[in-house]
Amino acid sequence: MENISLEQKFSKLIIVVSILIPVVVAILFGVKLKDFGYNVEPLSFLPPIYATTNGITAIILIAAVVAIKNGKRKLHERLMTSAIALSVAFLVMYVAYHMTSDSAKFGGEGIIRYVYFFILITHIVLSIAIIPMVLITYVRALAENFDKHKKISKITFPIWLYVAITGVVVYLMISPYYVY
C-alpha cells in the first residue's frame, strides 16, 4: 500500500511539472534577454554541446537497458539518474541559447526539407510527451513497484531514445545554417 501512496504522492507533482516545463520553455523560447536591456553575448557555442548531451543521453539509455538485462540494478539506477540529469542540463542549455541567440533557420530544399521538419516536429511532440512518462517510470522504480515500472519503461525507453537521437539529427541537419 505504501508503494501506491508514493505514486499518488508524486502524481500531482508529475502533472504540474509535465505541463509547466513545456509552457515555460515555450515562453522563454520567445524571450530575448537583449529585449530587456541585458547586453549578453549570444551563447552560440551551446548547440553542439547540447546536441552532444543528447547523444550521450542516448548511449546512457542503451547502457542502462543492458545493465538491467544483466541484473545490474544499481548500475541501471545510476545510469537512469544520469540520463535524467543530462536531459535537465540539455533543457537549461537549450533555453539559454534561445534566450541569447536568434534561432537558426533550416535552409535545405526539396525532400530533405520535409524530412527535416518531420524529424523536428516528431522530436518536439515526443519531447513533451516523454516528460510525464520518464517521471512516472522513475517514481515507480523509487516506489519499488517494479512490475508497473517495467511495463511503462518498455514504452518510455524507445520514445526517450528517439527524442535523444533525433535531437542529434536535428542539430546535424541545421548546423550548416547557424550564424556565428
Side-chain angles (χ1 to χ4, degrees):
M1 193 59 140
E2 187 176 319
N3 292 345
I4 293 171
S5 66
L6 185 63
E7 286 184 56
Q8 288 173 340
K9 180 177 156 185
F10 282 102
S11 66
K12 286 182 181 145
L13 182 61
I14 289 170
I15 292 167
V16 169
V17 169
S18 298
I19 293 169
L20 205 56
I21 289 175
V23 169
V24 169
V25 169
I27 291 167
L28 292 178
F29 193 85
V31 170
K32 298 292 183 235
L33 292 177
K34 64 183 177 186
D35 296 341
F36 292 94
Y38 294 101
N39 188 18
V40 293
E41 288 296 315
L43 300 176
S44 55
F45 63 91
L46 283 178
I49 296 170
Y50 62 67
T52 301
T53 301
N54 267 329
I56 294 168
T57 300
I59 292 165
I60 287 175
L61 290 171
I62 293 167
V65 169
V66 170
I68 200 64
K69 287 189 182 284
N70 288 322
K72 298 178 180 177
R73 194 170 126 207
K74 247 333 187 196
L75 176 59
H76 172 78
E77 184 181 318
R78 285 188 198 110
L79 289 168
M80 293 311 299
T81 301
S82 298
I84 290 170
L86 284 170
S87 293
V88 170
F90 161 83
L91 195 57
V92 169
M93 288 186 281
Y94 180 81
V95 169
Y97 168 76
H98 284 285
M99 289 181 74
T100 63
S101 309
D102 292 327
S103 295
K105 304 289 184 230
F106 185 72
E109 297 177 0
I111 190 76
I112 196 69
R113 186 169 185 79
Y114 295 106
V115 170
Y116 170 79
F117 281 108
F118 173 80
I119 294 170
L120 177 64
I121 291 165
T122 58
H123 170 79
I124 291 168
V125 169
L126 292 174
S127 71
I128 293 167
I130 199 63
I131 296 167
M133 296 174 77
V134 167
L135 296 174
I136 291 166
T137 305
Y138 195 74
V139 167
R140 286 182 178 173
L142 287 176
E144 298 182 2
N145 192 342
F146 295 118
D147 288 340
K148 288 174 89 177
H149 169 79
K150 186 176 179 180
K151 189 174 181 179
I152 193 172
S153 68
K154 288 181 180 188
I155 301 165
T156 303
F157 167 73
I159 295 171
W160 194 359
L161 184 62
Y162 178 85
V163 168
I165 291 170
T166 56
V168 176
V169 171
V170 165
Y171 166 74
L172 291 174
M173 291 181 80
I174 201 166
S175 63
Y177 306 104
Y178 277 109
V179 177
Y180 295 100

